[in-house]
Amino acid sequence: MSEISRYNFRETEQKWQKLWEDGKVFEVSDNSSKTYYVLEMFPYPSGNIHMGHVRNYTLGDVLARYKRSCGFNVLHPMGWDAFGLPAENAAIERKIHPGEWTYKNIATMREQLKTIGLSYDWSREFATCDPDYYRHEQKFFLDFLKNDLAYRKESYVNWDPIDSTVLANEQVIDGRGWRSGAIVERKKLSQWFLKISHFAEDLLAGLDKLTDWPDKVKTMQEKWIGKSVGAKIEFRIANRESRGSNDSDHTTRITVFTTRPDTLFGMSFCAISPQHPIAQRLATSNQQLATFIEECNRIGVSEEAVEKAEKKGFDTGLKVKHPFDSNREHPVYIANFVLMEYGTGAIFGCPAHDQRDFEFATKYGLPILPVVSDPGRESRVEEAYTGDGTIINSGFLNGLDVTKAKEKAIEELLKLECGEKTINYRLRDWGISRQRYWGCPIPIIYCASCGTVPVPEKDLPVKLPEDVTFDKPGNPLAHHPTWKHVNCPKCGKAAERETDTFDTFFESSWYFARFCSDTSDPNPLSKSATLKWLPVDKYIGGVEHAVLHLLYARFFTRALHTCGYLEMDEPFKGLMTQGMICHETYKDAAGNWLCPEDLLRNDEKILDKKNGQPVTVGRSEKMSKSKKNVVDPREIITSYGADTARLFMLSDSPPDRDLEWTEAGIDGSWRYVNKLWRLLLEQNDAEAEQPDEVASLKLRQETHKTIARVTEDIERFRFNKAIARIRELSNLLGTLTDKNPGDAKTETVNAIVHLISPFMPHLAEELWQQLGHQDMLAHRPWPKADPALCVEDEVTIAIQINGKLRATILCAAEATREEVESLALSVKNVQDFLKDKQIKKIIYVPGKIINVVAV
């Protein structure tokens, strides 16, 4: 037997990466009618890849390599989500242009990604900050305008005081800006909007068709769209003298939308938004109220920010009449928790059955009258009851349940001509205006004579100026001395450009469709190309994008469909949301966070390298720079190789679960890589002996069962199980030291190499070549399992009595029902449980369960 050389991962990985790239192995071809599009959410070019990138992109790579082996023409592209405030902030800090910083980072990250061995078609690469890319979305926007899907209005927005820009509600997290962390404020600005609310019902109904999406993501979108059926109620203002002489509807009535008309008799107040027309009118003559409204404006306009703020109100002195009892009048408050952007900007308060109303009523000493009975509650109300029950203290509604009371209340409102049944959606239109430089310019010109004028298509793209400065606060485009000044395309007079740029989610809402065509194609959404590839077969990314990017992309696809660009209305057929990568956290004696490389491990003790002091080990949390519990993938790849990193990422937990990063785990993966290298080459180099037919059959059976199971596991995204099965087969091969399975051994060795190829592609290609094969493994078809060799000789049957597991039996796979029943009833434990009982029936699920029903 010849000596087997040590596995050199550095040399091997560089070798195969170059061969793949030089041979354009992963570029899309047209030699197959079977297509498969796998895409991972593209990255922001921050400068370096992190472990989250490695896991996310490796997951997609496994699927892409597997599908390619199965004969599919696979589209697996990569690009860059390149606009955004971080580049602008970096430019200010480093005194360089955002574009220079961005393209430098792209070049760095591209090379880092290539070291992972990802099977990307790099010929389709683009960055969203390329004018050749964003010129198309400027055209889309102009078409949205023509189709009444875009509009401009003055509205209250979430304002990030640090980044000096508007944020969508989805970009406000815990009342703070999603990037800066600043407490969001409320500000009134003229903004451009896209009519996502126009598709609210369609976006909601479409979720039922997304059968290959995680339920948790669909639930999050369903809640965000927030369809609710209720009633719109007109409350008449009672004290007319308090409102002045203007008799317009908005001063004589307050319109409220509610999902709980059944609780109207429990009403104790009415509350309106600080931006409600009545509140604004009253503030013109009441400085105290004007000051209160100004204080309210320091809270963002997102529901989350409002809910977390202390509930405050201002008594207007106005009163409204109760719709069912004209003798009842209730005070009207201006409240900081009522948003003009949701519903009608007004509510009626029923404190006994809404916790927010309860807190408000308690604070201001307002009545709290229960109108839905709670049998388990004492007569004293200490918190709102929101459950079902029987209606009480409610006149003609008494004795009804909640559902029937709602119907009856709406009937009465219709009869009294002061309300109607209506449907409301929580989803608001998408504000796309951002006050920053490094974004796609909005192609609009403002002319004193012609008004708002779209930029002519022949003048696209509207490019960003290169000579920009960041020496003044606010939007650099608004301060630029020449860029915004332009002649009106209609009349030729002096005019000004729109200085706002698009929200970066605009770019990421259609990039997946751009990948369908070659970047040299002047038509960004060629119908033949989009029909061929869309929707994306499997989209992979973080669940944190459920109500940001994913919802916007679904809307954008529908908008492009409306404008005639696309034939489909859903962008992603399948979705997989990967778990996070976690690591222990560490603090020194002073409570400062420590990096893993700052530690010294001595006998089971963990010490601070700098001073030898004990370190406090905290819980495992998502890797983050702030807590310093990060592991640099570049160091791992340099020390262990890309395949070892890939193996650990894929084998240690299911893809949709969090992954616990440990040194022991990566070491174990490295040992297996080397074990596999030696094992497979030793088996191939072993001297021929007289084959053992029994051992041969057994090995062939296990090989083909493994092929079948691994294939199923990959299809069902159970990569960790697939790797475990391959390990079992390699372990079995390693135990056959005293038996010779003959040609079955070669078959098994080849099968193992092929099965590991999606997971550890460099190792697989090198082994394949070392085994004497002349072709590249990436070009080989996926191995097929022989059904005859996959038949189980024996199966384990679970025996239940009245649905509870009592025993298991091992029997022949081809055993008849009668044979299984006879064997099951002969088991002593089963006989003991059936003593003094009469068997009513026996339910048998072949090969799995037998359930004895007895009384």
Side-chain angles (χ1 to χ4, degrees):
M1 184 183 299
S2 61
E3 184 179 346
I4 295 171
S5 61
R6 182 176 175 274
Y7 178 56
N8 187 329
F9 70 85
R10 291 186 182 89
E11 183 180 294
T12 299
E13 292 181 353
Q14 290 175 9
K15 165 187 170 181
W16 288 105
Q17 287 164 15
K18 186 175 189 307
L19 287 170
W20 292 330
E21 185 170 1
D22 291 348
K24 299 181 179 180
V25 172
F26 305 120
E27 288 190 13
V28 171
S29 64
D30 296 319
N31 58 4
S32 173
S33 59
K34 290 169 58 179
T35 60
Y36 195 88
Y37 186 0
V38 56
L39 179 67
E40 306 93 46
M41 294 180 185
F42 65 168
Y44 178 78
S46 57
N48 289 297
I49 62 172
H50 54 68
M51 280 300 179
H53 290 134
V54 178
R55 190 183 195 200
N56 189 24
Y57 302 144
T58 300
L59 291 173
D61 192 57
V62 170
L63 192 59
R65 287 177 177 274
Y66 163 74
K67 288 293 184 179
R68 195 175 286 109
S69 290
C70 291
F72 285 89
N73 186 12
V74 175
L75 175 59
H76 188 211
M78 171 52 70
W80 309 94
D81 192 9
F83 272 139
L85 272 172
E88 203 159 317
N89 294 337
I92 295 170
E93 182 182 338
R94 295 168 175 79
K95 300 187 182 336
I96 60 173
H97 191 275
E100 180 184 345
W101 185 82
T102 299
Y103 284 108
K104 182 180 177 181
N105 288 349
I106 287 173
T108 299
M109 291 180 68
R110 183 192 300 117
E111 293 310 306
Q112 291 174 356
L113 287 178
K114 286 183 177 181
T115 65
I116 306 172
L118 303 168
S119 58
Y120 287 135
D121 180 353
W122 286 103
S123 71
R124 302 203 173 205
E125 177 190 13
F126 58 76
T128 58
C129 61
D130 298 338
D132 284 343
Y133 179 84
Y134 68 70
R135 73 181 300 274
H136 300 300
E137 67 188 38
Q138 290 177 340
K139 174 64 165 59
F140 298 157
F141 175 77
L142 298 179
D143 287 330
F144 291 169
L145 272 175
K146 292 176 187 175
N147 286 273
D148 196 28
L149 294 175
Y151 64 94
R152 189 171 186 252
K153 72 171 182 178
E154 197 173 56
S155 70
Y156 285 91
V157 295
N158 297 304
W159 180 257
D160 187 316
I162 289 182
D163 283 338
S164 297
T165 188
V166 170
L167 300 177
N169 287 336
E170 297 91 333
Q171 294 167 318
V172 179
I173 311 298
D174 294 332
R176 296 177 179 270
W178 73 305
R179 284 202 185 276
S180 73
I183 295 176
V184 171
E185 300 173 356
R186 191 178 306 186
K187 192 172 184 177
K188 196 170 190 177
L189 291 175
S190 288
Q191 298 283 292
W192 285 99
F193 290 84
L194 297 183
K195 285 188 179 178
I196 188 171
S197 64
H198 176 73
F199 295 94
E201 183 60 37
D202 191 48
L203 286 166
L204 189 63
L207 292 173
D208 291 336
K209 301 174 186 176
L210 299 176
T211 55
D212 196 17
W213 277 43
D215 288 338
K216 62 182 176 182
V217 174
K218 293 194 286 185
T219 299
M220 290 167 75
Q221 289 208 3
E222 182 179 354
K223 288 182 178 179
W224 192 262
I225 295 167
K227 180 179 182 178
S228 53
V229 179
K232 189 178 283 187
I233 306 170
E234 300 283 352
F235 288 92
R236 289 182 54 227
I237 296 177
N239 44 342
R240 296 170 63 85
E241 67 281 357
S242 298
R243 59 175 173 79
S245 58
N246 189 334
D247 283 342
S248 63
D249 279 349
H250 76 266
T251 58
T252 61
R253 297 173 183 270
I254 295 176
T255 304
V256 167
F257 171 79
T258 179
T259 58
R260 295 299 304 272
D262 55 303
T263 63
L264 267 166
F265 281 100
M267 174 182 180
S268 66
F269 68 94
C270 185
I272 60 176
S273 165
Q275 285 73 47
H276 195 282
I278 291 177
Q280 294 292 305
R281 180 179 61 79
L282 293 174
T284 60
S285 58
N286 187 326
Q287 184 55 47
Q288 188 179 358
L289 174 55
T291 302
F292 175 76
I293 291 176
E294 187 177 331
E295 179 185 336
C296 293
N297 289 341
R298 296 194 190 104
I299 306 172
V301 299
S302 71
E303 285 181 289
E304 184 181 41
V306 169
E307 284 299 322
K308 293 190 174 183
E310 180 188 356
K311 309 299 181 285
K312 293 183 179 180
F314 187 97
D315 191 346
T316 65
L318 298 177
K319 293 185 183 297
V320 291
K321 288 187 175 292
H322 194 284
F324 294 152
D325 186 348
S326 59
N327 294 319
R328 287 177 57 178
E329 295 182 355
H330 301 285
V332 178
Y333 283 81
I334 296 170
N336 67 347
F337 60 84
V338 182
L339 293 172
M340 198 64 211
E341 290 76 19
Y342 291 91
T344 61
I347 66 159
F348 82 83
C350 178
H353 305 292
D354 183 285
Q355 189 60 31
R356 179 191 57 186
D357 296 348
F358 179 85
E359 293 170 12
F360 188 81
T362 302
K363 181 171 184 174
Y364 292 102
L366 300 170
I368 301 176
L369 176 67
V371 291
V372 181
S373 66
D374 175 13
R377 177 194 293 258
E378 298 178 1
S379 58
R380 188 164 58 93
V381 179
E382 294 183 347
E383 63 178 9
Y385 173 65
T386 58
D388 289 330
T390 303
I391 303 299
I392 57 174
N393 301 322
S394 298
F396 65 90
L397 298 178
N398 283 342
L400 298 175
D401 61 32
V402 168
T403 301
K404 291 181 179 177
K406 287 179 181 180
E407 295 171 358
K408 184 70 174 176
I410 292 172
E411 287 176 11
E412 190 66 15
L413 290 168
L414 282 167
K415 190 186 301 181
L416 296 171
E417 297 184 346
C418 62
E420 61 182 2
K421 186 175 183 178
T422 189
I423 294 173
N424 192 51
Y425 296 92
R426 179 177 177 268
L427 183 67
R428 303 294 102 188
D429 281 341
W430 176 12
I432 56 171
S433 299
R434 297 294 180 266
Q435 296 67 41
R436 60 160 180 259
Y437 166 73
W438 194 237
C440 173
I442 298 177
I444 291 293
I445 293 170
Y446 300 108
C447 174
S449 300
C450 305
T452 301
V453 182
V455 172
E457 185 179 348
K458 66 180 178 62
D459 295 335
L460 299 180
V462 177
K463 293 184 180 180
L464 292 167
E466 291 292 326
D467 58 335
V468 68
T469 60
F470 300 92
D471 52 351
K472 296 179 182 178
N475 185 357
L477 291 177
H479 303 144
H480 195 280
T482 60
W483 180 83
K484 66 180 178 181
H485 300 292
V486 66
N487 292 331
C488 174
K490 282 189 175 180
C491 68
K493 294 180 182 177
E496 288 192 1
R497 294 189 187 280
E498 170 65 79
T499 57
D500 286 352
T501 52
F502 286 137
D503 176 10
T504 55
F505 282 101
F506 202 102
E507 281 86 56
S508 61
S509 292
W510 72 282
Y511 82 105
F512 50 87
R514 183 66 186 100
F515 278 133
C516 295
S517 304
D518 189 276
T519 51
S520 62
D521 192 335
N523 183 354
L525 300 180
S526 158
K527 284 200 174 180
S528 61
T530 53
L531 282 170
K532 179 178 182 177
W533 294 110
L534 291 179
V536 176
D537 291 284
K538 186 66 76 172
Y539 195 41
I540 304 168
V543 71
E544 66 271 16
H545 297 292
V547 293
L548 280 164
H549 162 58
L550 289 171
L551 186 60
Y552 290 154
R554 294 184 64 220
F555 153 70
F556 217 91
T557 304
R558 284 162 167 78
L560 289 173
H561 175 74
T562 300
C563 295
Y565 284 98
L566 296 177
E567 297 294 319
M568 66 290 302
D569 56 12
E570 287 292 349
F572 313 119
K573 178 182 177 183
L575 175 69
M576 206 293 292
T577 54
Q578 87 280 4
M580 298 180 295
I581 301 182
C582 303
H583 196 292
E584 283 182 338
T585 51
Y586 311 99
K587 283 186 177 180
D588 63 16
N592 301 311
W593 297 107
L594 293 173
C595 299
E597 58 264 31
D598 295 333
L599 310 177
L600 181 65
R601 297 178 186 271
N602 186 6
D603 293 329
E604 296 189 0
K605 290 182 181 178
I606 301 180
L607 307 175
D608 189 337
K609 242 183 211 178
K610 287 184 291 186
N611 52 32
Q613 294 295 311
V615 167
T616 301
V617 180
R619 67 181 182 180
S620 179
E621 297 187 40
K622 176 186 176 183
M623 284 187 182
S624 67
K625 290 181 181 178
S626 62
K627 294 180 180 174
K628 296 189 176 181
N629 63 335
V630 295
V631 176
D632 190 336
R634 293 171 297 172
E635 293 182 6
I636 297 300
I637 292 170
T638 301
S639 301
Y640 295 95
D643 280 345
T644 298
R646 290 169 63 117
L647 177 63
F648 177 67
M649 291 280 187
L650 298 166
S651 63
D652 212 53
S653 68
D656 59 342
R657 303 280 181 85
D658 291 349
L659 170 69
E660 180 69 26
W661 183 276
T662 64
E663 290 297 323
I666 193 72
D667 285 339
S669 294
W670 169 239
R671 286 194 300 272
Y672 181 69
V673 166
N674 284 278
K675 175 185 176 182
L676 205 56
W677 170 260
R678 291 189 302 270
L679 172 68
L680 298 184
L681 293 185
E682 285 171 356
Q683 292 293 330
N684 186 61
D685 205 27
E687 295 178 3
E689 299 175 8
Q690 183 66 30
D692 183 321
E693 292 185 5
V694 175
S696 176
L697 178 60
K698 176 67 174 175
L699 185 59
R700 291 200 71 212
Q701 287 175 330
E702 291 305 315
T703 298
H704 284 263
K705 288 176 186 176
T706 301
I707 292 171
R709 291 164 181 166
V710 168
T711 301
E712 182 184 5
D713 287 335
I714 294 177
E715 289 281 0
R716 299 179 67 175
F717 245 73
R718 300 184 306 209
F719 297 162
N720 60 315
K721 285 190 175 182
I723 291 171
R725 297 188 201 279
I726 297 170
R727 284 196 180 207
E728 289 173 4
L729 183 59
S730 64
N731 290 339
L732 174 63
L733 185 64
T735 62
L736 298 176
T737 56
D738 58 343
K739 295 177 182 177
N740 176 24
D743 292 340
K745 181 177 63 176
T746 302
E747 182 182 16
T748 300
V749 169
N750 286 338
I752 291 174
V753 174
H754 208 148
L755 292 176
I756 67 168
S757 62
F759 309 103
M760 297 178 283
H762 311 89
L763 175 65
E765 288 285 10
E766 187 65 18
L767 281 167
W768 192 251
Q769 189 179 79
Q770 291 287 333
L771 292 171
H773 300 285
Q774 300 301 312
D775 56 346
M776 193 178 287
L777 192 55
H779 295 312
R780 295 281 296 182
W782 189 252
K784 294 186 183 297
D786 184 340
L789 292 170
C790 293
V791 176
E792 297 286 351
D793 296 323
E794 292 182 321
V795 292
T796 301
I797 306 291
I799 307 172
Q800 296 179 343
I801 297 177
N802 295 331
K804 292 186 178 181
L805 181 65
R806 299 303 182 189
T808 59
I809 55 173
L810 199 65
C811 63
E814 66 275 10
T816 64
R817 177 190 180 109
E818 291 73 19
E819 289 171 336
V820 173
E821 285 185 11
S822 176
L823 188 58
L825 295 175
S826 69
V827 176
K828 185 177 185 305
N829 198 40
V830 173
Q831 292 176 344
D832 290 342
F833 274 101
L834 290 176
K835 192 181 295 181
D836 302 324
K837 286 186 173 66
Q838 183 180 355
I839 296 175
K840 289 292 186 182
K841 64 177 177 178
I842 297 176
I843 302 167
Y844 178 50
V845 179
K848 294 183 179 179
I849 295 172
I850 186 164
N851 183 26
V852 182
V853 181
V855 293

